[in-house]
Amino acid sequence: MTLPTILFVVLFVSGLLMVGLHLAYASPSTDAIKIYPSRPKRTSVGKFARNVAGNMLLTGGMAVGISLGCHDALVSTAPVGWASVGVEAIATLLLYDFLYYFMHRILFHEWTWMRKVHAVHHTNKYPTAFESLYGHPLENGLGVGLLMTCIAIVGPVSLPAFAVIFATFSFANLLIHSGLDFRQPGLRVFGIMARKHARHHASMRAGNYASITPLPDLLFRTHE
């Protein structure tokens, strides 16, 4: 599998997952696991659609452009064992999770100017999958840039590790914004993270700043 193929597949599946999670939340069959049964709208449909569409193009374009443009710094095509793939993926995702925690907590919640940028994302107090991309373009761009920086720091990583990293980054963001408290085996961890992130969205003063795991919040005592 080539890098362009990985990028296309992950972005395509992310789009399908976003739509699927939105339809799942809209279905009465998920009422028992909805984190917020009543979800008031805070933005017009037109404004919402323009923001999300613009951020989809921005983040997707950045991911493709940086990955292909900085190919040699990010990805190695040398064959590696699955143990190495696991180490590279876990190391990169943990590095991203901790660095994103500090960016989210300090930059977006403590610096006055950037608080205003992040407040756009917090407009949605009851987010579902589509709202995962609703926000200021600067914030979304910083998130993609940070991920690519973490891959470069750990890497260049193997193609399979890049696929795992990029897929986890993309899918986890949708699942924690899904508004659904998953209880099925294998998905329960995403239900836990979705509940924690729903608490974070309730207030600009709430904790739970981490993106992929609760480890940074637990370590630095901002877990709620």
Side-chain angles (χ1 to χ4, degrees), residues 7-223:
L7 292 166
F8 173 79
V9 170
V10 172
L11 291 172
F12 180 73
V13 174
S14 294
L16 294 179
L17 180 61
M18 180 185 289
V19 173
L21 288 171
H22 174 76
L23 294 176
Y25 187 90
S27 171
S29 64
T30 61
D31 285 350
I33 61 170
K34 286 183 172 70
I35 296 173
Y36 4 83
S38 176
R39 197 172 77 94
K41 292 183 180 179
R42 299 178 66 90
T43 56
S44 68
V45 173
K47 180 180 179 181
F48 174 82
R50 288 191 298 272
N51 184 285
V52 171
N55 281 314
M56 286 178 68
L57 292 173
L58 171 69
T59 55
M62 281 187 66
V64 173
I66 295 173
S67 299
L68 298 181
C70 303
H71 181 285
D72 292 342
L74 298 174
V75 178
S76 168
T77 56
V80 295
W82 286 109
S84 296
V85 170
V87 169
E88 290 173 345
I90 291 171
T92 303
L93 290 168
L94 282 176
L95 178 62
Y96 169 80
D97 209 26
F98 275 87
L99 291 183
Y100 179 82
Y101 170 88
F102 288 114
M103 183 173 77
H104 190 183
R105 178 181 176 182
I106 297 172
L107 195 64
F108 293 145
H109 281 267
E110 295 184 13
W111 290 13
T112 302
W113 185 75
M114 291 301 291
R115 274 177 60 89
K116 295 177 182 178
V117 168
H118 188 51
V120 177
H121 184 60
H122 272 261
T123 299
N124 293 286
K125 301 296 183 185
Y126 313 96
T128 58
F130 277 119
E131 280 90 358
S132 64
L133 284 174
Y134 186 92
H136 196 286
L138 177 59
E139 177 179 352
N140 287 290
L142 285 172
V144 174
L146 179 63
L147 177 72
M148 295 300 166
T149 300
C150 291
I151 295 174
I153 291 172
V154 175
V157 301
S158 63
L159 278 171
F162 183 91
V164 172
I165 294 162
F166 190 45
T168 301
F169 167 80
S170 302
F171 302 162
N173 188 45
L174 294 170
L175 289 164
I176 68 170
H177 284 91
S178 66
L180 297 171
D181 182 5
F182 299 101
R183 297 171 189 171
Q184 297 87 344
L187 291 177
R188 192 178 300 272
V189 64
F190 295 110
I192 293 171
M193 291 302 292
R195 290 201 309 272
K196 295 184 186 306
H197 201 66
R199 168 61 187 143
H200 174 78
H201 265 268
S203 170
M204 284 291 285
R205 298 183 183 277
N208 298 342
Y209 301 103
S211 174
I212 298 176
T213 76
L215 293 177
D217 285 302
L218 291 168
L219 184 61
F220 299 107
R221 299 182 180 180
T222 50
H223 173 268

